[in-house]
């Protein structure tokens, strides 16, 4: 993997976009159910955890099970990620923050925008280590990104 910070941030931003695109398709039920492990699970470190906007923490196996239970549960879901900003990096870890937006018919009540902070390991290859999400108390100006989600 490159050592140039701008390139690493670009690669991680692309991974975040790719990952959320697969998750978007998984919740819509438009990809094979095995995609959960082949396109998502393999990119999570073994000790990966996700801290939800409500403060609940899920391990990798718990999160994969939760996603599997929700396969195809929201055919109108649209996920969008943007505004990637580097927080810090060293030789083995990168911390990046970004905004996550959702639209469609949610299964639960939530603020559509979330602030997310992701930790990635760089060695031996790029892997998600931890993801923290929190609801935004002040909604961002509305952006219609549905055309991007329906490609």
């Amino acid at each position: 993997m490159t050592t140039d910070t701008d390139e690493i941030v670009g690669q991680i931003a692309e991974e975040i976009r790719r990952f959320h695109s697969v998750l978007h398709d998984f919740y819509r039920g438009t990809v094979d159910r095995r995609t959960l492990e082949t396109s998502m699970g393999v990119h999570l470190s073994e000790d990966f955890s996700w801290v939800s906007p409500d403060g609940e923490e899920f391990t990798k196996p718990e999160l994969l099970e939760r996603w599997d239970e929700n396969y195809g549960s929201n055919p109108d879901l649209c996920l969008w990620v943007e505004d990637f900003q580097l927080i810090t990096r060293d030789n083995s870890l990168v911390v990046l923050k970004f905004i996550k937006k959702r639209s469609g018919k949610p299964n639960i009540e939530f603020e559509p925008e979330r602030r997310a902070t992701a930790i990635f390991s760089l060695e031996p290859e790029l892997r998600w280590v931890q993801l923290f999400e929190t609801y935004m108390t002040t909604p961002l100006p509305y952006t219609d990104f549905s055309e991007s989600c329906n490609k």
Side-chain angles (χ1 to χ4, degrees):
M1 174 162 273
T2 181
T3 58
D4 179 69
T5 297
D6 289 339
E7 282 186 49
I8 290 172
V9 169
Q11 290 171 355
I12 291 173
E14 282 307 309
E15 166 57 15
I16 293 169
R17 283 187 195 97
R18 182 207 64 79
F19 192 87
H20 282 83
S21 176
V22 173
L23 188 59
H24 156 107
D25 292 341
F26 192 82
Y27 269 89
R28 289 176 140 206
T30 59
V31 294
D32 188 292
R33 201 174 196 128
R34 291 172 291 196
T35 301
L36 181 63
E37 185 56 39
T38 61
S39 289
M40 294 164 64
V42 298
H43 294 277
L44 305 176
S45 67
E46 288 308 310
D47 57 348
F48 173 84
S49 68
W50 171 59
V51 179
S52 76
D54 296 319
E56 191 171 355
E57 186 170 16
F58 295 86
T59 64
K60 177 180 176 177
E62 291 167 338
L63 187 57
L64 292 173
E65 180 179 338
R66 177 183 169 133
W67 283 337
D68 187 57
E69 290 170 356
N70 286 288
Y71 175 79
S73 65
N74 197 341
D76 297 316
L77 179 67
C78 185
L79 296 176
W80 190 257
V81 289
E82 63 185 18
D83 195 22
F84 302 97
Q85 296 177 28
L86 176 68
I87 295 174
T88 192
R89 74 159 288 204
D90 65 16
N91 291 334
S92 61
L93 293 174
V94 176
V95 182
L96 206 68
K97 65 181 181 175
F98 59 97
I99 302 293
K100 178 178 175 180
K101 296 181 178 184
R102 297 172 63 153
S103 71
K105 297 175 184 169
N107 297 325
I108 57 171
E109 293 296 321
F110 62 88
E111 289 290 325
E113 293 93 12
R114 299 176 184 190
R115 289 198 188 279
T117 302
I119 302 172
F120 286 86
S121 64
L122 300 175
E123 300 297 332
E125 57 190 333
L126 186 65
R127 291 276 187 264
W128 293 75
V129 174
Q130 185 134 38
L131 178 62
F132 302 89
E133 292 185 359
T134 188
Y135 296 120
M136 295 177 67
T137 57
T138 304
L140 296 172
Y142 178 75
T143 303
D144 183 1
F145 55 88
S146 59
E147 286 300 315
S148 300
C149 286
N150 294 319
K151 292 181 178 177

